[in-house]
Amino acid sequence: MSEPPKTPDGRYIVVDGTLWRATRPDLEPEREKALVRTLMDARRAIGQAEDGTDVTAHRRRVDEAKRALGERGPVWWNDGAPDYNRYKVENTPYADWWAEREG
C-alpha cells in the first residue's frame, strides 16, 4: 500500500479528496513509532470492547495519541495559517496543486 499524497508544505495528506492533518514532522522517529503503536492498539481495542465504558476509554486513548501526533488539537505549525483539516481539497488553497497533480 502506498503512502497518501502529502501537500507541498507537508501539513496534510489527501485521502479520497479530503485533507487530513499530517503527523508533526518534528517528532523523533521512535516517539512517532510508539504513538502510532498506541493508536493502533487503542483502535483494535475499540473493536474488541465489551461495553460502552471500555469503548469510551479506548476512544480517549485514540484521541490522546492523535493529539500527540499532531493530527488533532492545536496545529503544529506556527505561521498563523488556518487549519483545513477535513476540508475537501478543491475547497482550499491547495486546489490548484491538487488539480495539477490529478491531471
Side-chain angles (χ1 to χ4, degrees), residues 27-100:
L27 286 174
E28 293 292 327
E30 288 304 313
R31 175 73 175 139
E32 180 181 352
K33 190 175 180 179
L35 288 168
V36 169
R37 189 176 315 115
T38 298
L39 172 63
M40 299 313 292
D41 288 348
R43 284 181 169 164
R44 276 190 294 278
I46 289 170
Q48 298 168 354
E50 295 188 13
D51 66 40
T53 303
D54 289 343
V55 169
T56 299
H58 299 312
R59 284 188 176 151
R60 190 175 309 114
R61 287 178 47 218
V62 166
D63 186 62
E64 288 169 359
K66 290 187 79 61
R67 286 176 181 278
L69 287 163
E71 297 173 10
R72 289 187 184 160
V75 297
W76 45 259
W77 52 88
N78 58 11
D79 63 1
D83 187 9
Y84 294 106
N85 192 41
R86 301 177 75 179
Y87 280 64
K88 286 295 198 182
V89 70
E90 68 262 12
N91 297 327
T92 71
Y94 301 99
D96 290 342
W97 163 78
W98 186 247
E100 288 175 16

